[in-house]
Amino acid sequence: MIELKDVYKSFSGKDVLCGANLKVERGESVVVIGGSGSGKSVLLKHIIGLLKPDKGTVIVDSTDLSQINEDGLNEIRKKFGMLFQSAALFDSMKVWENVGFGLKRHTHLADSEIKEIAVRKLKMVGLVDVEEVMPSELSGGMRKRVGLARAIAMEPEILLYDEPTTGLDPIMADAINDLIIKMREELNVTSVAITHDMKSAYKIADTIAMLYNGVIIAKGTPDEIKNTSDPVVKQFIEGSAEGPIVLEGIKK
Amino acid sequence: MLLKLIEYIGALIEGPIEGVGRIMVLFYSVLKWLFRPPFEIRNIFKQMLEIGVKSLPVVLITAVFTGMVLALQSYTGFKRFGAEGLVGSVVALSMTRELGPVLTALIVTGRAGAAIAAELGTMRVTEQIDALETLATNPVKYLVVPRFLSGTIMLPALTVVTDIVGIIGGYFVTVILFGVSSRAYLRTTWDYLEVEDIYNGLIKACFFGASFALVSCYKGFYTKGGAEGVGQATTGAVVVSSMTILVSDYFLSAWLFK
Ligand SMILES: Nc1ncnc2c1ncn2[C@@H]1O[C@H](COP(=O)(O)OP(=O)(O)OP(=O)(O)O)[C@@H](O)[C@H]1O
Ligand SMILES: [Mg+2]
């Protein structure tokens, strides 16, 4: 179970999160939506302790992340798999070494076994014959999927996806959605995903939460969100430029 | 007016002081992780190769020409007062006590220090360091410790090479070009050279190695702001490391060679 309680975060005077609250139950799949630059990635990084809140608490499996030391944090992180928005592949390593990084560090498997697992995970995200390639030789969408393979390689209990389908073609995007659903159904993972793609959000979410002005302004099932009366959420999911959300600097 | 001035000076020194504080924090965590198993043997060897072995060609060229020019200058200069017999000592003492460690350190900083800062800086801005953390891997242990250790070990090793090759360069110029007898050159080399000269030089090299590696790692590790930030980190690493080497060289020499 993951819980963010009243999380505040600002960067050099710029407030990004202003009292965000979010609760994710075990086995639940939460999708966070919100405008570009609204702090979704920042929110996600708080869950795994990459960023520390200025105020407020982050709780993972009844452990307050601010109350534990480096070793404790690393133990908790072993439960996680995270896909970064930019994939964040290690560019000095081959694709299979990227995917197998966690296995190499935290298990006693031989390289050949790690490679075998890596190849299998790569196949799950629709990539074949790339294991010996360096990440710099891949396309953006391929890098994203290698990042996804790396996130699921250790079969974590909790998966954090930062825009898993951005940069993929619609068919591949849908295949990745299916994979995310499969991960939850088969391994009962808890997941938090960020997406701009409403179709994907409706498909993979048990719960959709919208981040706006540093707080979660709405939370509900896909159906509840679809039929919302909140004008901000309505404008966002309909993708309309008309409404209460104003884009600074862009005038008609 | 005065307040403004104080404010201005404060703002000017705030950055460097904060930097020193944060380097110390990094140094502390390097020391903490240094002795905690499992040791990153593979990474350490890789870095020793990067920092040490790959620096060997530039170090060799620098060493041989430094030894040669030392011999050339001291031979022609000392000839004026009939002391050309001392060339061997001048070369040996200058190389082991001073030029060996300092030149090697500066050359390695220009090469490996810049590379370290650029690599870690790129890893920082592309979130690879964050990714390491999410994979339950401490980035100081995984990235900084091997580089720090390799710098501290490889710089003295390279300095030994520089010392020897420098003396050979001096021999070449004095004996082969100026026709001084080989025995006379070697005798003056050994007569005035003491073991302390060599190992105090190596202590300096150790310190330079540790400091350039730490500074370069620090600059890379805390890089901010994309490609431009990586560029600044790289230049910063070379400038600050070189300054640290040259300034600390004076104080170390004053302390070691009493
Ligand atoms: N490490 C950081 N240092 C300074 N500012 C940051 C940092 N990380 C994020 N920010 C700022 O926080 C704000 C939110 O960033 P974030 O990346 O969370 O947005 P996002 O909602 O994920 O946007 P997008 O949908 O475009 O990915 C941005 O204004 C960004 O400039
Ligand atoms: Mg983002």
Side-chain angles (χ1 to χ4, degrees):
Chain A
M1 193 207 62
I2 299 164
E3 194 174 1
L4 281 85
K5 276 192 209 159
D6 243 351
V7 170
Y8 284 78
K9 183 74 181 177
S10 61
F11 293 103
S12 42
K14 184 170 178 291
D15 296 325
V16 178
L17 299 179
C18 317
N21 285 290
L22 184 68
K23 202 167 172 178
V24 185
E25 298 298 340
R26 183 174 291 278
E28 191 183 14
S29 166
V30 172
V31 168
V32 179
I33 57 173
S36 189
S38 61
K40 302 181 299 296
S41 298
V42 168
L43 183 87
L44 207 64
K45 286 178 185 169
H46 276 86
I47 297 177
I48 193 168
L50 281 178
L51 291 172
K52 314 246 175 305
D54 297 337
K55 218 171 87 191
T57 45
V58 180
I59 295 168
V60 176
D61 285 343
S62 59
T63 312
D64 181 344
L65 294 191
S66 65
Q67 299 300 317
I68 51 175
N69 62 12
E70 173 83 37
D71 291 323
L73 194 55
N74 275 339
E75 279 315 306
I76 292 205
R77 281 176 177 158
K78 286 182 189 166
K79 299 182 188 178
F80 279 94
M82 177 162 178
L83 166 64
F84 284 80
Q85 186 167 2
S86 59
L89 302 182
F90 304 125
D91 47 26
S92 61
M93 295 174 207
K94 289 177 182 166
V95 164
W96 77 266
E97 291 170 314
N98 265 282
V99 177
F101 189 86
L103 294 164
K104 177 93 190 157
R105 309 258 335 150
H106 305 302
T107 67
H108 296 289
L109 296 174
D111 276 4
S112 58
E113 293 168 282
I114 292 175
K115 195 168 173 180
E116 222 169 85
I117 297 173
V119 169
R120 209 159 58 230
K121 301 289 172 187
L122 285 166
K123 213 174 200 165
M124 286 173 75
V125 297
L127 290 170
V128 284
D129 287 337
V130 294
E131 59 273 11
E132 294 292 343
V133 173
M134 299 303 281
S136 58
E137 296 164 42
L138 300 176
S139 76
M142 287 162 96
R143 294 167 61 88
K144 201 62 174 265
R145 284 181 282 155
V146 174
L148 186 56
R150 183 174 69 185
I152 62 176
M154 296 278 283
E155 301 187 349
E157 297 168 35
I158 307 166
L159 272 162
L160 307 178
Y161 306 100
D162 198 340
E163 306 195 5
T165 56
T166 311
L168 305 183
D169 67 69
I171 300 168
M172 186 53 75
D174 202 49
I176 295 299
N177 288 336
D178 287 339
L179 176 72
I180 291 173
I181 293 167
K182 197 171 110 191
M183 294 296 297
R184 191 190 48 191
E185 282 172 355
E186 287 178 9
L187 302 169
N188 192 34
V189 297
T190 309
S191 67
V192 181
I194 292 171
T195 187
H196 287 292
D197 173 1
M198 289 314 297
K199 190 171 151 238
S200 148
Y202 293 139
K203 188 162 176 181
I204 63 179
D206 298 322
T207 310
I208 295 177
M210 173 148 175
L211 184 64
Y212 182 67
N213 281 346
V215 291
I216 300 287
I217 52 159
K219 199 179 164 200
T221 63
D223 282 331
E224 284 165 5
I225 293 291
K226 253 183 231 172
N227 303 317
T228 182
S229 56
D230 185 319
V232 172
V233 180
K234 203 174 167 74
Q235 183 193 352
F236 187 84
I237 60 174
E238 286 170 1
S240 153
E242 305 283 332
I245 306 176
V246 276
L247 302 176
E248 278 163 51
I250 301 180
K251 295 213 179 74
K252 278 162 284 190
Chain B
M1 185 63 202
L2 190 66
L3 216 65
K4 269 254 158 49
L5 190 70
I6 294 173
E7 223 168 67
Y8 178 73
I9 295 172
L12 214 62
I13 60 173
E14 192 190 342
I17 287 181
E18 198 192 326
V20 169
R22 279 166 52 183
I23 286 191
M24 286 305 146
V25 172
L26 182 66
F27 183 48
Y28 171 75
S29 94
V30 167
L31 291 183
K32 196 178 75 183
W33 288 105
L34 195 55
F35 302 106
R36 272 185 60 174
F39 302 108
E40 311 280 345
I41 306 290
R42 237 169 60 156
N43 275 356
I44 293 170
F45 274 110
K46 194 174 155 216
Q47 289 308 321
M48 285 174 121
L49 192 77
E50 285 294 326
I51 295 173
V53 181
K54 291 195 179 167
S55 298
L56 209 50
V58 272
V59 165
L60 286 176
I61 292 171
T62 312
V64 74
F65 278 96
T66 306
M68 281 164 64
V69 79
L70 259 178
L72 178 78
Q73 291 282 35
S74 44
Y75 185 85
T76 51
F78 285 16
K79 213 174 159 184
R80 293 178 190 160
F81 42 92
E84 63 265 36
L86 287 174
V87 170
S89 323
V90 171
V91 173
L93 289 181
S94 329
M95 287 310 292
T96 54
R97 293 170 67 130
E98 186 57 35
L99 293 176
V102 172
L103 283 181
T104 314
L106 292 177
I107 292 284
V108 174
T109 297
R111 229 198 115 263
I116 289 173
E119 187 182 7
L120 296 195
T122 306
M123 291 187 73
R124 169 62 74 193
V125 301
T126 56
E127 299 185 312
Q128 291 177 53
I129 293 182
D130 290 335
L132 276 178
E133 289 196 57
T134 65
L135 292 158
T137 299
N138 182 285
V140 171
K141 183 170 171 55
Y142 186 77
L143 297 171
V144 181
V145 168
R147 286 166 174 80
F148 175 80
L149 210 56
S150 307
T152 315
I153 295 170
M154 291 319 276
L155 210 58
L158 288 169
T159 301
V160 171
V161 175
T162 308
D163 290 353
I164 295 170
V165 172
I167 290 171
I168 294 173
Y171 177 94
F172 174 79
V173 168
T174 326
V175 176
I176 303 191
L177 296 187
F178 293 128
V180 174
S181 93
S182 162
R183 183 176 308 159
Y185 181 86
L186 290 178
R187 208 193 57 234
T188 50
T189 300
W190 297 128
D191 270 1
Y192 297 100
L193 186 66
E194 305 199 353
V195 186
E196 277 97 90
D197 293 325
I198 298 172
Y199 76 59
N200 282 343
L202 296 185
I203 291 175
K204 289 208 290 187
C206 236
F207 182 85
F208 297 155
S211 48
F212 102 82
L214 190 67
V215 168
S216 305
C217 285
Y218 164 78
K219 285 285 178 185
F221 206 74
Y222 293 105
T223 299
K224 272 198 188 121
E228 195 190 346
V230 175
Q232 281 170 358
T234 310
T235 352
V238 175
V239 172
V240 176
S241 301
S242 307
M243 290 298 135
T244 311
I245 289 164
L246 293 171
V247 173
S248 64
D249 179 45
Y250 175 80
F251 293 101
L252 282 171
S253 301
W255 174 58
L256 289 165
F257 297 104
K258 272 195 258 286

